[in-house]
Amino acid sequence: FFFRLSPSDHLMATESSKLVNVTDVAIDDGEAGSGIGFKDFSHARPQPAAYSDDMHDDDDDQGLLEEGKAGESSSNASVCSLAYYKQFFNITTNQILSRLLRSLDVRPDGPLFYVDDSKPDMYGPFWVCTTLVFLMAATGNVAHYIQTTQKTVWKYDFEKLTTAAWIFYSSISIIPIAVWFALGHLNHPKSLIEVISIYGYSLFVFIPTCVICVVPSEPVRWISILVSFVISSVFIVRNLGNLVIIRNPERNRSTKTKGYILLGVILVCHAAIALLMKVYFFEY
């Protein structure tokens, strides 16, 4: 026998089949055929983990622990590695300002540069030299512009920037290395970083001198350069001369003579730098 479905019955059958296909049907083995149940999967949905303050504190403690390990590794690192020099750039702004002001102390019997067993740094000398390079080139061109007449065409001299970089970066590396080697020869070794730090801070007094030399007056320029040289030389002699001749009466006469010669060579090189600053950058 063939039964013919009406269009309405055919549509209801189709919708029923779709409902059964898209629904997960669970049939209990013990009650097979007795009924159809719909399985609930809502309890299997993953729940987000609760974030607590303890987790945040653990992260902070872990970060502090890693920083402490990094500080210990920098002090124990090899001299040839960059991690060793990281400790010499770990300095606060107040410490740098204190050392900059201390470098301007002109008293021969004033306090030494390093007090309270403070460590030398390389950030200050690098900042002083970099500031001098750009400031010396800029003020030198400004001084030239002020004294340029209307009949001549003024042009910015970029060679002053490269010359200033060569002068100051060479002086802060070559002279301290020579002094460090000489101190070792005099049986009074000193760390190279400390010598670089002392000599670098001694150049700080020339920063305000650059600004003063913009004034179009030769006497003012010569006096400012001379005063800066004297202040810087007193700072060098007080800190480096203390090692070999000033406060070491137990040393023999030969060692003191070599110490005087060493200081004389340092001051001659320092005077040459000051004279070059005046003649090349501010001679118009």
Side-chain angles (χ1 to χ4, degrees), residues 1-23:
F1 297 94
F2 297 95
F3 296 94
R4 186 173 182 179
L5 298 177
S6 63
S8 60
D9 296 335
H10 185 273
L11 180 60
M12 292 177 63
T14 303
E15 294 296 331
S16 299
S17 63
K18 289 182 180 181
L19 181 60
V20 172
N21 289 334
V22 300
T23 307

Side-chain angles (χ1 to χ4, degrees), residues 132-207:
L132 276 174
V133 167
F134 289 97
L135 190 61
M136 190 70 68
T139 54
N141 280 279
V142 171
H144 186 203
Y145 174 78
I146 292 175
Q147 296 191 260
T148 301
T149 61
Q150 296 180 354
K151 296 181 180 180
T152 58
V153 179
W154 177 81
K155 293 183 180 180
Y156 189 89
D157 189 2
F158 287 95
E159 292 184 0
K160 292 185 181 298
L161 181 62
T162 57
T163 304
W166 181 85
I167 291 174
F168 292 107
Y169 286 126
S170 299
S171 64
I172 202 177
S173 57
I174 297 176
I175 295 178
I177 290 176
V179 172
W180 169 74
F181 180 80
L183 290 175
H185 180 70
L186 294 175
N187 296 325
H188 199 107
K190 202 173 187 65
S191 66
L192 178 60
I193 302 300
E194 187 172 352
V195 178
I196 292 175
S197 183
I198 291 174
Y199 193 81
Y201 278 102
S202 69
L203 299 174
F204 169 69
V205 67
F206 290 101
I207 292 180

Side-chain angles (χ1 to χ4, degrees), residues 66-82:
E66 293 178 356
E67 290 180 0
K69 292 181 178 180
E72 294 179 357
S73 62
S74 63
S75 60
N76 299 327
S78 174
V79 180
C80 300
S81 62
L82 295 177

